[in-house]
Amino acid sequence: MYIAREATKLWRKVSAETTAELQLLLEKWQLLLAGLVFQYIHGLAARGVHYLHRPGPLLQDLGFMALPELGQEKGYLSESVFTFIFISFLLWSFHPFIYHSKRFYTVLLWRRVLAFLVASQFLRIITFYSTQLPGPNYHCREGSKLATLPPPNNALEVLLINFPRGVLFGCGDLIFSSHMIFTLVFVRTYYKYGSNRLIKLLAWLMAIIQSLLIIASRKHYTVDVVVAWYTVNLAVFFVDKKLPEMPDRTNGLPLLPVSSKDKDGRTKEELHKLDGRMRDEFHKLLNGNTVDATDRRQRLQMNGKHGEDMSHSVSDATPTGT
């Protein structure tokens, strides 16, 4: 009975959250779609530069001198860390559908994430097309059949980008690291909207480990990782300043009343008032106004209270009979 009751509550919460997120998605889908389309454009650009890549001797690199080479058999280590970071962030971004401690709307969070990714990837495309460096990865070195691609037979061969093999075995798209773009964007986003301090510290530690593993695996030069660290952080900083701030949902008020009386003993009428306040906030959000309606109403009430106090104080101070 307990499991059935809790499952029902969880289903109601997921349904209410899904309804709210779908309404946001219907209003904000344009930028989300544009961000997803640009992911394909970024992959297409990386595929295109592979046709221009010419293998050559490895460049002198301080990171290669300092870090021992892991070798091809251990190249999976950096990919494993990146996969863990990616999946962990993806799952965390959808936790408002289940947990009560929600601070954001998932749709709005991914709008920001995609905006950060697009800005960083746009700079990356400009950079690696400016100068093609000989790739340090094993399949990009002299003697490898994958180091240089033969001219395409048709446009469809380029547009399909040979996914996923073309993504995993690309060459020429070096400055700066795409893996570090995703890693730093995810870490910075969790640092701002996450709630666990320990996980925030671990996230930055994982980003550092990821950087070292990329260099030790010889997938990028050290300059690719160093440039990613300051470029992505600066891009996220300036783009974040231009975007409207997301509303803080820490209050945890229900989106819709789920019963006539909740755990705290609030009546249906009280829940109806809370629902009205949340609907007001939600409509403000859809209209592009990120100011919390509840906070605004509280400020107005406080201002009205101050006005009444001042009027009373003035009337009391005015002598009678004048």
Side-chain angles (χ1 to χ4, degrees):
M1 292 179 61
Y2 174 79
I3 295 176
R5 183 171 63 251
E6 292 301 318
T8 301
K9 292 180 181 178
L10 178 61
W11 172 248
R12 288 174 176 173
K13 185 184 186 308
V14 172
S15 299
E17 192 73 24
T18 302
T19 301
E21 293 285 356
L22 285 177
Q23 292 182 45
L24 277 175
L25 182 60
L26 292 175
E27 292 288 334
K28 310 291 185 180
W29 64 270
Q30 294 93 341
L31 289 179
L32 283 170
L33 180 61
L36 293 175
V37 170
F38 194 85
Q39 299 308 303
Y40 168 75
I41 296 175
H42 173 257
L44 186 63
R47 176 69 172 177
V49 79
H50 194 170
Y51 289 101
L52 304 177
H53 176 259
R54 296 295 180 268
L58 294 183
L59 304 178
Q60 186 173 357
D61 190 280
L62 183 61
F64 291 178
M65 299 178 186
L67 295 175
E69 186 173 355
L70 292 178
Q72 284 184 286
E73 65 279 0
K74 294 183 180 180
Y76 68 90
L77 292 176
S78 63
E79 293 298 329
S80 299
V81 173
F82 176 77
T83 302
F84 175 78
I85 295 173
F86 189 94
I87 295 178
S88 299
F89 181 84
L90 181 66
L91 294 176
W92 168 79
S93 68
F94 284 92
H95 87 274
F97 285 82
I98 300 176
Y99 293 98
H100 292 284
S101 57
K102 50 181 177 287
R103 296 186 57 190
F104 54 83
Y105 293 96
T106 301
V107 169
L108 298 183
L109 181 80
W110 276 102
R111 283 185 72 214
R112 302 180 79 86
V113 168
L114 287 173
F116 300 151
L117 292 176
V118 168
S120 302
Q121 291 167 339
F122 179 76
L123 296 174
R124 180 175 188 260
I125 292 173
I126 295 176
T127 306
F128 66 63
Y129 265 104
S130 299
T131 302
Q132 288 82 48
L133 303 179
N137 211 336
Y138 302 101
H139 63 269
C140 299
R141 299 179 183 180
E142 292 179 313
S144 174
K145 296 180 179 179
L146 300 176
T148 302
L149 293 180
N153 297 321
N154 50 61
L156 187 61
E157 182 180 337
V158 179
L159 295 176
L160 292 179
I161 67 176
N162 193 20
F163 185 85
R165 184 176 177 84
V167 176
L168 297 176
F169 295 96
C171 297
D173 56 330
L174 293 176
I175 301 177
F176 42 94
S177 171
S178 178
H179 282 58
M180 290 309 302
I181 290 178
F182 281 90
T183 298
L184 292 173
V185 167
F186 291 165
V187 170
R188 282 189 61 98
T189 303
Y190 182 81
Y191 187 81
K192 182 174 182 178
Y193 297 105
S195 55
N196 192 304
R197 292 185 178 180
L198 178 60
I199 296 180
K200 292 180 181 181
L201 294 176
L202 290 176
W204 284 114
L205 179 61
M206 292 288 288
I208 296 174
I209 294 175
Q210 171 76 0
S211 303
L212 298 177
L213 287 175
I214 288 176
I215 299 172
S217 300
R218 304 302 190 254
K219 295 181 177 180
H220 278 279
Y221 291 109
T222 305
V223 65
D224 305 338
V225 175
V226 172
V227 172
W229 268 91
Y230 62 74
T231 304
V232 176
N233 280 290
L234 287 174
V236 171
F237 175 79
F238 285 109
V239 173
D240 189 57
K241 293 292 184 182
K242 297 296 183 180
L243 295 176
E245 188 52 71
M246 294 195 301
D248 193 348
R249 305 179 64 192
T250 311
N251 295 331
L253 296 177
L255 292 172
L256 294 172
V258 295
S259 64
S260 60
K261 199 169 185 178
D262 64 356
K263 287 183 178 180
D264 299 331
R266 289 181 289 199
T267 63
K268 185 175 181 180
E269 290 74 14
E270 291 173 337
L271 285 174
H272 181 70
K273 293 180 180 179
L274 290 176
D275 179 48
R277 290 164 59 186
M278 292 301 296
R279 289 181 185 275
D280 188 14
E281 174 193 351
F282 193 74
H283 287 305
K284 293 290 186 181
L285 179 66
L286 292 179
N287 292 330
N289 189 351
T290 59
V291 179
D292 187 12
T294 304
D295 294 340
R296 181 183 295 175
R297 188 178 293 109
Q298 290 176 352
R299 295 193 197 103
L300 292 175
Q301 291 175 354
M302 292 177 64
N303 292 336
K305 183 178 180 181
H306 292 325
E308 292 177 359
D309 294 340
M310 290 179 64
S311 62
H312 285 308
S313 61
V314 171
S315 61
D316 293 340
T318 304
T320 58
T322 59

